[in-house]
Amino acid sequence: MPEPILIRHDKGLWLPEADLWLDPRESRERAFVSHAHSDHFAPHLWTLCSRVTRRLIGSRYGNQSQRKLHTPDWDEPYEERGHLFRLLPAGHIFGSAMLHVTRLRDGASLLYTGDFKLRQGLTSERTQLRPADTLVMETTFGLPKYRFPPSGQVIATILAFAQETLEGGGIPVLLGYSLGKAQEILAALGETELPVMLHPSVTRLARVYDELRGTPIRWKPFHAENAQGHVLIFPPSAGRSVALRKLKGVRTAMLSGWALDPGARFRYQVDKAFPLSDHADYGELLKCVEEVQPRWVYTVHGYASEFARDLRMRGWDAWSLVGENQLELTLSTEMPSVPPIESPENHFEPEDTSEAEPATDSFLLWARTCEEIAAHAPRLSKVEKLARYLRQLPESELPRATRWFTGNPGEPSLPPLQVGHAVIRQALLRLGGMNEREYRRLSQSQNDTGRTAYLVLRGYRSAEGGIRLSGTLAEIAVLFENLRQAKGISGKSGILQKALESLSPLEGSYVVRLLTGELRIGSKEGLVEEAIAGAFLQPAQEVREAVMLSGDPGQAALLARRGALAAATPTLFVPIKVMLASPEESAAAIWERLGPAAAPIWLESKYDGIRAQLHANKERIEIYSRDLKPMSTQFPEITGEAGFHHEAIFDGEIIAYDEAKRLTFHDLQRRLGRKEEADLFIRSDIAIQYVVFDLLWHNGRSLLKEPLEKRRQLLEELELPDAWQRITVHHAASLPEVESFYHAARRAGHEGLIAKDRTSFYSPGRRGKNWLKLKKTVSTLDVVVVRAELGHGKRSRVLSDYTFAVRDNAGALKVIGKAYSGLTDAEIEELTEYFETHTISQRGNVRTVSPDIVLEVAFDSIRPSQRHDSGLALRFPRIKAIRRDKTVSEIDTLEYARSLAHDGAP
């Protein structure tokens, strides 16, 4: 059996033996171009493509874009460099081609589909498949839910929409891409008596289609004054153009395969959405594999991981190759006979299962369980697989294995490991025999340290040969402890390198994932809690309660196995979730809820600082953030205090303090995320205080079930260090007193007030009505996106992080912040498609984009900042909505943003 044709990746897909690139976006010496869409074409020195594609390229990009082209007829054999090439119709658009390659010396074959569909279109050639050893296929719609209705049925509904709109006196506007979709619907309209007008970007291509097909279709160029009574065909980018907005009675319809998604009509802001697509649906993808009968399948674009996983379950050797864009693959070595790493959900090739099944306490079994969890999208399937694994673990290993599923590699009561990316990079560099440039290139192509480690280790194993030893869970725990004890990057990286040498690529990749805290298998804490309940037949609510009380899912799992969840209690140096306050809109609402029953109301100022939980005994003081992350080294003034002679857990707020002036969260910002040792801080820069407002645990006794008044009484009895201050409590016996305290708190520079029920218990992680907060109303700004970059984890393939700007008095755009939360996955996918085609320049994963997309962004406050050229920065920005109704000329001004900052908004 011949070896497969080699595939390499370097900013595109490359066949090194034939020296031929496949649809590269950058100019190359030799390239195959499957069709004339812009994301598949660049001006190459020599191009292999179909004759129709050559003509369309010349029309779209000018003759200067064409240098030397070879355009054989369909299925005409073309021999060069020891390979035989054939172009086969792909059915995607007119002239789109698949490439079939045969290596002459041994007959090994490969079929690259490019974009394709098997349904017969009105303007594209009938698809022709050919058997091949290796199949590289696009999988845009690779989920079972994407099964398109018959094309004739879809077109009939589109024509009915157009006819009904015209009969009602309206103007139907059909939105489809200028090349392909527009011509397909134009051909359908050509079989009717409906008059058609085309957007200017469509007219040029329509003329080329008419010329090449020899069957002209009646249409007119778009003129707004004569648009009444015509069906308009526009590209989606012009769907909200000024020209259309000026017309009366316009009804728009999006033509896209994504119309099958629920809410597509609302996402695209159109009246109708029809599932007309020029890509293969799920059924056609399966049929393609069946007809080609490959030994290996590689999937690209869209739902590549999911479809490859489906194929593996059907018995095919299938793996996804997905990177930054459609054809930037994750394959870093010429090893097509070994399935490559999978993305975006980061699954790996199966380990050799010919040996005995690993022991229940082996790390390999833990890693394989992670893979199984990641491979199953339904939540119940994940829970069942995790529960089955937890149930079989020995009791001694249950706590640590459970914690690791939440991404925490260490004992929760111990200091963090302090193993950053520099340590991991140095270990992998030495292990892989790579230089910095090679490693950076590989790392950037993966956008995932775990995937990078997997590829380095796989190459190391191939080079060294032999079977590596698998560690037990206890041995991996010893590794983590050794890393904690080691000093410096060199010392830690040496320990890590030696450990990785003895582990399989799968195990090593998950060690790295635990060290970075980026497990990326979908095992959120809530899922782990459900699995614990299922594994040991305990009520899920009681498991959640135990996790909240103990702050440790591993301890909760152990208690669940023993049927002793009620024994859960806080543990010193294991942070628990903080109790949260519910927002109210007015002092009157607070008085109505708490006043009549609990007057006088317990009131505290809501500080503009950092929520922090403090754990202390005579030898050690640790601070944890509200998301349970350690941050002690950032505030040595607090942790370095001596003279505390108790064991206690406090809840409170870290504030910047100066009696002479108002200080806010902005004054603390530069301290966040700092990693330097305590002696590198300039203590005299800004004074820091820890304001204590609750006592949760004292000298071995939990106080969570004690009423607030009792907890405060015990707090008053403690002697606190100078840098710690008890919060001042006020009591309001009437609504006017509540309002008066709120305004006093605002004048003092605080965010507002907190009102509490004096009889309430402390409920970790809960946002009930026992604590209420009143703040100034959140403000928003309308901004425009100027840069977009790839996200992380499941969003590592989409542009989900947006840098945005306001405009100054001269109309120049000034950056004011960056946000990545608030939009749905569908909206992010839509914006990704838009930004990819509206990129001005690109550096790494960051694209400078056309300033067209307006967002409404909410924020907590605006502060002065040298980080952005606006001189301002938003605190906690989050996207509220895409303002499709606004243009860049309508965004907010820098002057207005400054006024909000001056006012302290919000």
Side-chain angles (χ1 to χ4, degrees):
M1 184 177 295
E3 289 295 314
I5 293 176
L6 296 181
I7 308 172
R8 282 185 181 174
H9 169 250
D10 186 5
K11 293 185 179 180
L13 187 60
W14 183 42
L15 305 179
E17 295 172 89
D19 189 21
L20 186 69
W21 294 83
L22 307 179
D23 281 328
R25 289 192 176 187
E26 297 182 3
S27 297
R28 300 293 182 183
E29 184 173 340
R30 292 166 46 81
F32 165 70
V33 174
S34 64
H35 62 284
H37 279 153
S38 60
D39 59 337
H40 287 255
F41 170 74
H44 311 296
L45 292 179
W46 183 89
T47 300
L48 175 64
C49 64
S50 73
R51 294 182 180 180
V52 171
T53 296
R54 175 178 184 170
R55 179 71 176 84
L56 290 170
I57 288 174
S59 174
R60 299 196 80 185
Y61 311 110
N63 291 326
Q64 70 276 9
S65 66
Q66 305 183 57
R67 301 176 186 181
K68 186 176 181 181
L69 291 91
H70 184 71
T71 56
D73 288 333
W74 296 123
D75 209 19
E76 175 187 342
Y78 168 65
E79 183 178 338
E80 187 178 79
R81 304 196 181 196
H83 291 76
L84 197 65
F85 302 95
R86 286 185 173 87
L87 301 190
L88 307 174
H92 176 56
I93 64 171
F94 192 24
S96 62
M98 298 183 180
L99 178 65
H100 191 277
V101 184
T102 303
R103 189 166 55 206
L104 294 176
R105 63 179 169 85
D106 58 11
S109 57
L110 176 146
L111 177 65
Y112 167 67
T113 67
D115 292 346
F116 79 103
K117 70 175 185 294
L118 301 184
R119 307 181 309 282
Q120 178 60 54
L122 297 176
T123 57
S124 59
E125 299 86 352
R126 183 178 294 278
T127 308
Q128 180 182 340
L129 296 172
R130 193 181 184 94
D133 300 322
T134 302
L135 172 62
V136 182
M137 62 186 303
E138 68 98 358
T139 53
T140 300
F141 294 103
L143 292 182
K145 70 176 182 178
Y146 293 115
R147 296 181 185 269
F148 301 133
S151 298
Q153 177 182 326
V154 177
I155 288 175
T157 58
I158 297 172
L159 297 179
F161 164 81
Q163 183 71 52
E164 292 169 2
T165 302
L166 290 173
E167 291 175 355
I171 302 175
V173 180
L174 305 180
L175 303 176
Y177 290 121
S178 300
L179 175 59
K181 203 79 63 67
Q183 287 73 35
E184 191 76 0
I185 194 60
L186 177 60
L189 288 165
E191 299 177 3
T192 72
E193 298 298 321
L194 301 179
V196 180
M197 280 188 172
L198 304 182
H199 184 272
S201 66
V202 182
T203 57
R204 182 176 67 254
L205 294 169
R207 291 190 179 100
V208 176
Y209 264 60
D210 288 348
E211 175 188 333
L212 293 175
R213 288 172 54 81
T215 55
I217 300 172
R218 293 179 297 105
W219 55 267
K220 301 176 184 176
F222 170 72
H223 293 290
E225 60 274 17
N226 300 321
Q228 194 70 39
H230 290 78
V231 180
L232 309 186
I233 300 179
F234 272 48
S237 59
R240 300 188 65 81
S241 62
V242 174
L244 284 185
R245 289 206 299 265
K246 289 182 178 179
L247 297 178
K248 295 182 179 180
V250 166
R251 295 186 70 210
T252 55
M254 173 63 75
L255 312 182
S256 170
W258 303 113
L260 289 180
D261 287 335
R265 179 168 65 88
F266 303 102
R267 185 169 73 249
Y268 290 118
Q269 295 288 295
V270 294
D271 297 292
K272 291 285 186 180
F274 298 106
L276 184 67
S277 176
D278 44 26
H279 290 268
D281 70 0
Y282 181 80
E284 292 172 286
L285 295 176
L286 292 177
K287 185 176 180 181
C288 173
V289 178
E290 292 289 346
E291 292 195 18
V292 175
Q293 287 292 306
R295 291 172 56 197
W296 301 278
V297 182
Y298 298 126
T299 59
V300 296
H301 200 45
Y303 292 99
S305 287
E306 293 83 351
F307 187 71
R309 192 158 57 239
D310 282 359
L311 289 181
R312 289 197 298 274
M313 295 176 67
R314 295 169 182 267
W316 299 98
D317 192 351
W319 301 88
S320 74
L321 302 172
V322 179
E324 179 179 340
N325 53 50
Q326 183 165 342
L327 289 172
E328 288 188 302
L329 314 182
T330 62
L331 199 58
S332 64
T333 56
E334 50 183 72
M335 297 168 59
S337 60
V338 179
I341 189 169
E342 196 171 351
S343 168
E345 293 190 337
N346 318 321
H347 310 304
F348 305 91
E349 65 179 75
E351 301 292 330
D352 183 1
T353 57
S354 60
E355 302 176 17
E357 182 68 19
T360 56
D361 67 341
S362 78
F363 187 67
L364 176 58
L365 184 58
W366 185 89
R368 286 183 179 174
T369 303
C370 288
E371 285 294 276
E372 289 188 21
I373 295 170
H376 288 77
R379 184 181 181 87
L380 287 178
S381 295
K382 292 178 181 288
V383 170
E384 289 171 2
K385 291 184 178 300
L386 181 52
R388 185 168 63 247
Y389 172 80
L390 295 178
R391 192 180 301 118
Q392 67 178 339
L393 277 172
E395 187 169 290
S396 60
E397 301 301 332
L398 177 61
R400 68 165 57 100
T402 304
R403 293 184 199 111
W404 290 353
F405 281 119
T406 65
N408 184 2
E411 297 286 337
S413 62
L414 295 176
L417 273 60
Q418 300 292 346
V419 176
H421 288 278
V423 171
I424 297 169
R425 181 176 66 250
Q426 192 171 112
L428 293 176
L429 278 171
R430 291 199 295 248
L431 192 60
M434 310 168 73
N435 59 40
E436 286 277 359
R437 183 178 179 182
E438 291 171 331
Y439 179 84
R440 183 165 55 252
R441 187 177 183 178
L442 175 62
S443 177
Q444 289 176 348
S445 74
Q446 303 311 307
N447 201 28
D448 183 319
T449 310
R451 291 206 304 258
T452 301
Y454 178 83
L455 290 176
V456 172
L457 293 173
R458 188 175 66 186
Y460 170 80
R461 184 178 65 178
S462 299
E464 296 294 315
I467 299 175
R468 301 295 165 188
L469 300 176
S470 295
T472 64
L473 295 172
E475 289 170 342
I476 300 300
V478 170
L479 163 64
F480 291 153
E481 183 57 32
N482 290 340
L483 288 170
R484 176 185 285 105
Q485 298 294 335
K487 303 296 183 183
I489 292 177
S490 179
K492 290 178 183 289
S493 65
I495 292 173
L496 180 59
Q497 178 188 349
K498 185 176 180 180
L500 293 177
E501 288 175 354
S502 67
L503 297 174
S504 68
L506 183 65
E507 292 170 293
S509 69
Y510 274 98
V511 165
V512 169
R513 287 176 178 279
L514 284 169
L515 292 175
T516 60
E518 299 175 347
L519 205 55
R520 298 185 178 182
I521 62 172
S523 62
K524 302 298 184 183
E525 187 172 279
L527 185 141
V528 174
E529 292 167 355
E530 291 180 35
I532 294 171
F536 307 115
L537 304 179
Q538 298 293 318
Q541 181 56 41
E542 292 185 16
V543 172
R544 283 190 287 270
E545 189 77 17
V547 172
M548 285 192 293
L549 291 175
S550 65
D552 182 4
Q555 179 66 18
L558 195 59
L559 293 174
R561 179 191 283 268
R562 297 171 178 174
L565 289 170
T569 186
T571 301
L572 199 60
F573 303 116
V574 179
I576 64 175
K577 293 182 178 180
V578 299
M579 184 172 176
L580 302 172
S582 296
E584 287 290 358
E585 297 182 355
S586 66
I590 288 177
W591 177 257
E592 180 179 352
R593 178 167 292 277
L594 294 180
I601 296 179
W602 181 299
L603 299 178
E604 300 169 358
S605 295
K606 187 180 190 316
Y607 285 92
D608 188 11
I610 302 169
R611 185 76 176 272
Q613 192 176 121
L614 188 147
H615 293 229
N617 62 15
K618 294 179 182 179
E619 293 80 28
R620 178 182 171 194
I621 298 174
E622 296 289 349
I623 304 172
Y624 303 94
S625 64
R626 66 183 296 157
D627 57 354
L628 312 185
K629 297 294 193 306
M631 54 179 184
S632 304
T633 58
Q634 298 163 334
F635 302 104
E637 303 94 322
I638 298 173
T639 59
E641 287 288 349
F644 189 72
H645 302 294
H646 300 268
E647 293 186 340
I649 299 175
F650 300 97
D651 190 4
E653 192 99 358
I654 297 174
I655 63 169
Y657 177 74
D658 189 333
E659 291 184 356
K661 60 180 179 178
R662 168 188 172 184
L663 296 179
T664 66
F665 176 85
H666 169 69
D667 300 292
L668 289 172
Q669 271 188 317
R670 57 184 160 177
R671 305 287 292 270
L672 300 181
R674 291 284 296 274
K675 302 296 184 185
E676 295 91 336
E677 295 297 328
D679 60 356
L680 297 182
F681 286 105
I682 302 175
R683 291 173 180 250
S684 61
D685 187 15
I686 295 175
I688 300 296
Q689 280 191 345
Y690 181 62
V691 179
V692 183
F693 51 72
D694 220 325
L695 178 62
L696 313 183
W697 186 90
H698 181 238
N699 289 346
R701 175 189 170 199
S702 172
L703 303 177
L704 301 184
K705 298 301 183 182
E706 296 288 349
L708 175 60
E709 284 183 318
K710 177 64 173 178
R711 301 198 303 273
R712 178 68 186 204
Q713 179 184 339
L714 294 172
L715 178 59
E716 294 282 358
E717 295 172 0
L718 297 180
E719 183 179 349
L720 302 180
D722 292 340
W724 308 1
Q725 299 293 324
R726 298 175 188 83
I727 196 167
T728 301
V729 178
H730 297 265
H731 302 282
S734 66
L735 172 58
E737 290 184 25
V738 177
E739 293 175 332
S740 176
F741 178 75
Y742 167 74
H743 293 299
R746 290 292 299 168
R747 286 194 300 271
H750 305 313
E751 290 187 329
L753 64 80
I754 299 288
K756 299 180 178 179
D757 182 344
R758 65 181 64 249
T759 65
S760 61
F761 298 156
Y762 192 96
S763 302
R766 300 281 176 78
R767 190 189 295 275
K769 295 297 185 179
N770 289 324
W771 288 11
L772 304 175
K773 63 182 177 181
L774 177 60
K775 294 172 57 177
K776 191 173 181 180
T777 305
V778 173
S779 293
T780 65
L781 286 175
D782 288 334
V783 298
V784 67
V785 179
V786 294
R787 289 194 292 274
E789 60 186 288
L790 294 177
H792 298 83
K794 290 188 176 181
R795 291 183 172 178
S796 62
R797 294 169 44 253
V798 293
L799 299 170
S800 63
D801 297 8
Y802 311 122
T803 300
F804 45 78
V806 292
R807 55 188 175 88
D808 64 14
N809 290 334
L813 298 179
K814 300 295 183 181
V815 172
I816 197 170
K818 178 180 178 180
Y820 51 83
S821 63
L823 297 182
T824 65
D825 289 344
E827 288 172 325
I828 290 172
E829 289 177 3
E830 176 191 356
L831 291 185
T832 296
E833 181 177 348
Y834 182 84
F835 288 139
E836 285 181 343
T837 58
H838 292 77
T839 296
I840 297 173
S841 62
Q842 183 171 354
R843 185 173 182 179
N845 290 331
V846 182
R847 297 169 181 257
T848 299
V849 298
S850 300
D852 302 321
I853 300 298
V854 176
L855 304 176
E856 182 183 4
V857 176
F859 52 92
D860 279 12
S861 60
I862 304 180
R863 303 300 184 200
S865 173
Q866 299 305 312
R867 191 187 323 158
H868 306 310
D869 58 7
S870 66
L872 301 173
L874 304 186
R875 181 188 178 194
F876 299 140
R878 56 271 189 198
I879 303 167
K880 285 193 67 178
I882 304 173
R883 294 303 302 266
R884 304 176 194 273
D885 58 324
K886 291 193 173 185
T887 64
V888 65
S889 64
E890 300 174 277
I891 65 174
D892 283 314
T893 63
L894 179 57
E895 182 179 4
Y896 175 64
R898 285 172 177 159
S899 71
L900 295 179
H902 180 73
D903 187 46

